[in-house]
Amino acid sequence: MKRIKIVDIFREAPLGQTVSVMGWVRTRRGNKNVQFVALNDGSTVRNLQIVFDLNEFNEEQLKAVTTGSAIHVDGVLVESMGKGQSFEVQAKSLEVFGTADPAEYPLQKKGHTLEFLREKAHLRPRTATFGAILRIRSTLAFAIHKFFQERGFFYLNTPLITASDCEGAGAMFQVTTLPLDKLPLTEDGAVDYSKDFFGKPTALTVSGQLEGELGATALGAIYTFGPTFRAENSNTPRHLSEFWMIEPEVSFFDITDNMQLAEDFVKFCIGYALDNCRDDIEFLAEHFDKELVERLEFVLHNEFVRLSYTEGIEILRNSGRKFEFPVEWGVDLQSEHERYLVEEHFRKPVILTDYPRDIKAFYMKQNDDGRTVRAMDVLFPKIGEIIGGSEREADYDKLMARIEEMGIPMKDMWWYLDTRRFGTVPHSGFGLGFERLVLFVTGMTNIRDVIPFPRTPNNAEF
Ligand code: ATP
Ligand code: MN
């Protein structure tokens, strides 16, 4: 008989029919007449109740049916008398695929803390919580492609191994095949990278943007969606060493177009998750964050506030609030500042623009005031910065001047500069940290809980 997924049982409710279900046992309980198993197959957060009549099955047969074991049951789907579920399967046959020794299985009990489950990252997808998070993550990934594809953006794959370390977005992980215990040296004692795999120093990318600009100035509108690596030793609930980033880049787009795209984009993703992951979101709301659905709908139905960095600084300085990091014009905003603006002052998502040039990357379009650039950060409740982007400096001479001023090694940049030498156009783009979006939509508070296998300093076990 063909297997039916539990999600389809709930969707189609084929009452009276014999069904074949397979999954992992969440719990087993009951008495000497009847045993109830809560079965989950990962297709939905909901468990299917299986009823074993002990006239037809004996305890010996059911002994292997313990929490974590994998089973196959054929039986009739009937309406349930019990509370908590509308129907159940009356088991006719049982096959045990794999046992899970109760003395050994780490997820034996319910209600483990998220911290405990991080130590068991290889098994935590089997919990209701992580099942929900991972399904939401998958749905959001699909929504991202859907949003851009429906708007004529092309998906561009940018390299993960790069030879340019000038992006400045973060510290990099070096990539090498040189023997670290016996490095080849040049005559003056430096590492001889001409002997390395690529004949030069290389590293894992911190952003696909520079290559994204090559795509945008050819295809018009592109987006990237891939892994990104940052070797900063920052242990925060919002930073990973390996995370996924979505970076649209669009020709003939100014900063205002860019802001609108960012707002439409995150709203689309949130709306898509609400429409397609309702069960999972409600499960997480019930267990972790009572205001989750309300917050998601609030963001969906309100316009983001747009203001300049300079105005933002004024608000922070006049707030009467004592921040851990003092505020003055020119400082990079900390999460506490971003969250004050979003959560306490405006109570809405905020797009801050026109940051001081000295705290932003070289490629951002310079404003006429000579001290700010056309940057934009989207700030979200509970998260802080979720998107960072800008209009790009399209003028060759201005870009060159900035590169020289910042002392960026030119030999790495020639290919990028060709976008400005040949058919340069106004263009803009941004980067959305995928896990920050998943954090927001799931209501989780630690970024380690929204990626299946988190990479953080001192943590690459699973
Ligand atoms: P932050 O100030 O939060 O460290 P950033 O300004 O260094 O971020 P950008 O270089 O602007 O980040 O990257 C674009 C987006 O990528 C950010 O808005 C954020 O959503 C996400 N992001 C950046 N660094 C990380 C990280 N280490 N882990 C997860 N997401 C990140
Ligand atoms: Mn940023």
Side-chain angles (χ1 to χ4, degrees):
M1 202 165 58
K2 196 166 170 284
R3 171 195 169 212
I4 180 169
K5 286 189 187 176
I6 292 174
V7 69
D8 293 324
I9 292 203
F10 283 104
R11 201 178 286 146
E12 297 158 20
L15 284 168
Q17 293 179 26
T18 300
V19 294
S20 170
V21 292
M22 301 178 188
W24 293 270
V25 173
R26 283 280 162 80
T27 56
R28 175 158 72 91
R29 61 186 175 82
N31 52 43
K32 54 187 185 324
N33 301 319
V34 59
Q35 290 280 310
F36 301 98
V37 164
L39 192 71
N40 189 281
D41 69 357
S43 63
T44 164
V45 72
R46 295 205 254 177
N47 299 330
L48 182 63
Q49 173 153 291
I50 315 281
V51 186
F52 291 94
D53 183 339
L54 290 185
N55 294 315
E56 291 177 49
F57 296 85
N58 58 46
E59 258 303 335
E60 194 52 33
Q61 274 174 290
L62 292 182
K63 233 169 80 185
V65 181
T66 58
T67 298
S69 64
I71 62 171
H72 164 198
V73 171
D74 291 345
V76 184
L77 190 73
V78 297
E79 264 176 86
S80 176
M81 302 305 207
K83 266 170 85 182
Q85 67 278 322
S86 40
F87 40 76
E88 61 196 21
V89 170
Q90 280 176 339
K92 294 284 169 250
S93 71
L94 165 69
E95 177 188 2
V96 177
F97 290 127
T99 58
D101 183 352
E104 304 265 336
Y105 184 56
L107 307 179
Q108 189 59 34
K109 290 205 217 73
K110 275 185 147 185
H112 289 300
T113 63
L114 294 169
E115 290 78 10
F116 172 85
L117 291 172
R118 263 172 237 148
E119 308 281 308
K120 309 281 178 235
H122 61 309
L123 290 173
R124 68 180 183 173
R126 296 222 198 149
T127 63
T129 298
F130 283 89
I133 293 167
L134 295 180
R135 280 186 298 273
I136 292 170
R137 184 178 165 109
S138 168
T139 302
L140 282 171
F142 180 75
I144 286 162
H145 284 292
K146 186 172 161 64
F147 176 86
F148 287 118
Q149 296 281 334
E150 286 178 355
R151 283 158 188 77
F153 286 63
F154 299 101
Y155 180 36
L156 184 78
N157 298 121
T158 49
L160 300 191
I161 298 175
T162 170
S164 70
D165 64 352
C166 46
E167 221 279 52
M172 298 178 107
F173 290 100
Q174 201 177 333
V175 173
T176 181
T177 54
L178 292 177
L180 294 181
D181 50 356
K182 228 179 100 207
L183 290 170
L185 299 180
T186 59
E187 271 169 21
D188 41 9
V191 176
D192 185 0
Y193 282 104
S194 69
K195 303 254 164 50
D196 204 351
F197 191 90
F198 296 104
K200 55 165 82 167
T202 51
L204 294 177
T205 185
V206 292
S207 158
Q209 181 202 315
L210 301 188
E211 295 88 351
E213 289 185 51
L214 299 177
T217 52
L219 301 172
I222 63 93
Y223 67 105
T224 71
F225 186 176
T228 316
F229 308 87
R230 298 197 183 172
E232 273 126 29
N233 203 350
S234 56
N235 257 308
T236 83
R238 286 179 314 280
H239 290 89
L240 291 162
S241 313
E242 175 181 297
F243 65 100
W244 288 65
M245 186 139 70
I246 298 98
E247 295 181 276
E249 193 71 37
V250 197
S251 284
F252 320 111
F253 241 45
D254 67 14
I255 184 89
T256 311
D257 301 321
N258 206 30
M259 285 192 272
Q260 195 58 48
L261 179 72
E263 182 168 344
D264 292 346
F265 171 52
V266 279
K267 283 181 171 172
F268 177 87
C269 293
I270 292 167
Y272 194 85
L274 278 170
D275 289 345
N276 292 279
C277 302
R278 200 71 199 198
D279 284 357
D280 288 321
I281 291 175
E282 279 172 3
F283 174 87
L284 295 174
E286 190 187 323
H287 289 87
F288 295 98
D289 182 353
K290 297 274 180 282
E291 285 145 30
L292 178 60
V293 176
E294 203 186 324
R295 190 178 323 113
L296 296 178
E297 279 173 353
F298 181 80
V299 167
L300 208 55
H301 299 302
N302 280 281
E303 287 201 354
F304 297 2
V305 178
R306 300 177 185 189
L307 74 157
S308 70
Y309 167 92
T310 303
E311 291 165 312
I313 291 288
E314 276 308 297
I315 291 169
L316 291 168
R317 287 182 67 89
N318 295 333
S319 68
R321 174 67 63 96
K322 230 178 147 31
F323 294 107
E324 191 190 333
F325 295 89
V327 180
E328 60 178 289
W329 199 94
V331 299
D332 206 355
L333 294 185
Q334 303 291 327
S335 180
E336 55 170 343
H337 308 134
E338 298 173 342
R339 292 183 62 175
Y340 176 84
L341 290 175
V342 172
E343 290 166 24
E344 299 187 45
H345 189 82
F346 290 109
R347 298 176 175 276
K348 277 187 195 176
V350 170
I351 310 182
L352 269 192
T353 58
D354 301 293
Y355 281 72
R357 53 186 279 199
D358 292 337
I359 58 169
K360 290 291 183 186
F362 70 92
Y363 49 70
M364 295 191 181
K365 185 175 170 69
Q366 296 158 40
N367 283 322
D368 293 337
D369 64 10
R371 59 177 204 156
T372 60
V373 287
R374 226 160 275 183
M376 53 165 244
D377 279 7
V378 180
L379 313 178
F380 257 42
K382 294 192 75 177
I383 308 282
E385 179 184 333
I386 192 164
I387 285 179
S390 71
E391 184 169 343
R392 317 307 188 189
E393 182 55 77
D395 184 276
Y396 181 85
D397 295 329
K398 284 191 186 158
L399 185 63
M400 277 300 293
R402 192 72 186 127
I403 286 172
E404 273 158 22
E405 198 175 8
M406 292 174 76
I408 295 166
M410 280 301 302
K411 67 170 175 27
D412 293 333
M413 293 307 300
W414 64 270
W415 52 271
Y416 181 71
L417 289 170
D418 272 3
T419 54
R420 276 47 169 193
R421 285 177 66 208
F422 307 118
T424 189
V425 288
H427 64 286
S428 303
F430 60 80
L432 167 82
F434 186 43
E435 285 74 19
R436 300 229 180 137
L437 177 67
V438 184
L439 265 184
F440 185 72
V441 173
T442 58
M444 292 289 109
T445 51
N446 192 311
I447 200 162
R448 292 164 182 78
D449 296 332
V450 297
I451 185 164
F453 308 103
R455 297 289 177 260
T456 50
N458 287 315
N459 179 31
E461 180 78 10
F462 308 100

